[in-house]
Amino acid sequence: KDADARAELERILRVDPRSVDARIQLGFLHGRAKRYDEAIAVLREAVNLEPKKPELFLYLGTAYFRAKQYDRAIETLQEGLSLDDKQKELLFQLGVVFEKQGKFDDAVGAFRRVISIDPTHAESYNYVGYMYVEKGQNLEEAVKLIAKALDLEPENGYFIDSLGWAYYQQGKYGDALRELKRAVERAKDDPVILEHLGDAYLKNGLDSEAVAVWERALKLDPAADGVKKKLDDLQDRRGRAKSDRTKASQ
């Protein structure tokens, strides 16, 4: 279906090369097919045709981001913000790129600007909260930010995961387990959430349950070396404990 849609959009552009809408749709289809260079080319032309439309810079910046061209993405998003510095979607995407680059303070600043423009932007509260949790800092504030996100979207499995992971980092392992179970119910096939749940099971002394969810995570993401190491380490500890018990009984 996408191939047919692409062919039709390319036909439209041959008839009307200045159709920005056709270029946006074609860029979206190229991006969905992970043909990022083609998405960038067609969206760059859309920007050239309508250089005063901030949303076009969002589409192009997002294409650069997906192509892992982070500096270009930042440059493009900031160019869009120079046209309208209250464009929350541009600011949010800028925060996402900054976070990916490890520019922690810049990312937090971008997300907080989104919140100042739109106090109901749940994703920004969650993003800042989760970033604090991953760093192991400002954990009390992180819980408040994530709770605000959940006030706005109570059934969001990713936000519930953030809360569970915050409790885990605070050493509240029972609370963490409760929330992470809820998160997995709502986002069943996310390997990161499954890894978090396995960690919480382990801290609550439920080794077999930890192994089961880590193995599920590994099936979903076979390249997850961190999960492989956790499984190997747990099996080693179990092996040593069994050996010690055998020696003690002799």
Side-chain angles (χ1 to χ4, degrees):
K1 282 183 180 178
D2 278 6
D4 291 343
R6 278 198 303 270
E8 176 61 16
L9 289 164
E10 284 162 358
R11 186 194 66 75
I12 290 168
L13 286 169
R14 283 194 295 273
V15 175
D16 180 10
R18 298 186 65 79
S19 173
V20 170
D21 285 345
R23 290 186 182 280
I24 292 168
Q25 292 176 56
L26 187 56
F28 172 76
L29 290 173
H30 283 318
R32 194 155 71 181
K34 299 185 179 179
R35 294 156 61 157
Y36 300 122
D37 289 346
E38 290 167 78
I40 287 164
V42 77
L43 290 168
R44 193 189 290 128
E45 188 56 33
V47 167
N48 291 339
L49 289 164
E50 295 270 11
K52 299 296 183 187
K53 280 194 169 179
E55 62 270 25
L56 297 181
F57 291 89
L58 172 64
Y59 305 146
L60 178 57
T62 302
Y64 278 128
F65 171 71
R66 289 179 177 153
K68 296 185 169 58
Q69 296 183 39
Y70 301 131
D71 289 337
R72 283 277 181 87
I74 287 170
E75 183 183 309
T76 302
L77 294 166
Q78 287 177 331
E79 197 174 341
L81 284 164
S82 73
L83 298 169
D84 179 3
D85 64 0
K86 297 288 195 291
Q87 253 273 359
K88 64 185 179 185
E89 289 84 6
L90 277 164
L91 273 169
F92 181 80
Q93 188 61 36
L94 184 62
V96 171
V97 183
F98 279 143
E99 192 273 335
K100 195 71 173 177
Q101 282 194 312
K103 295 178 177 176
F104 185 88
D105 292 338
D106 289 334
V108 168
F111 293 130
R112 287 196 183 278
R113 279 175 66 197
V114 175
I115 291 166
S116 71
I117 293 163
D118 178 8
T120 67
H121 200 279
E123 196 75 42
S124 291
Y125 289 107
N126 180 67
Y127 229 114
V128 177
Y130 190 78
M131 285 172 65
Y132 282 142
V133 171
E134 284 287 271
K135 276 219 161 203
Q137 68 182 50
N138 295 356
L139 292 177
E140 289 295 332
E141 186 185 359
V143 169
K144 287 176 185 172
L145 288 162
I146 296 162
K148 179 65 178 172
L150 280 164
D151 283 345
L152 295 161
E153 294 185 25
E155 295 302 310
N156 188 310
Y158 297 96
F159 297 175
I160 297 169
D161 168 65
S162 296
L163 182 61
W165 197 232
Y167 286 146
Y168 181 94
Q169 297 287 29
Q170 289 179 316
K172 299 176 180 177
Y173 299 123
D175 291 338
L177 183 58
R178 181 190 67 239
E179 298 302 330
L180 290 166
K181 280 181 176 178
R182 288 179 62 226
V184 167
E185 284 170 9
R186 288 157 181 78
K188 289 182 173 62
D189 292 331
D190 187 287
V192 174
I193 298 178
L194 286 166
E195 181 180 358
H196 289 168
L197 178 58
D199 293 354
Y201 272 133
L202 189 67
K203 287 293 188 183
N204 282 278
L206 300 165
D207 293 11
S208 297
E209 289 85 346
V211 168
V213 291
W214 282 339
E215 285 177 344
R216 273 177 65 193
L218 209 51
K219 279 182 185 172
L220 291 164
D221 181 9
D225 292 335
V227 177
K228 286 179 192 169
K229 187 174 187 310
K230 287 172 185 177
L231 280 165
D232 290 344
D233 288 349
L234 181 55
Q235 284 165 355
D236 286 347
R237 284 200 301 277
R238 283 172 146 185
R240 284 198 300 274
K242 187 177 180 182
S243 174
D244 290 345
R245 285 197 301 274
T246 303
K247 285 176 185 173
S249 65
Q250 287 173 351

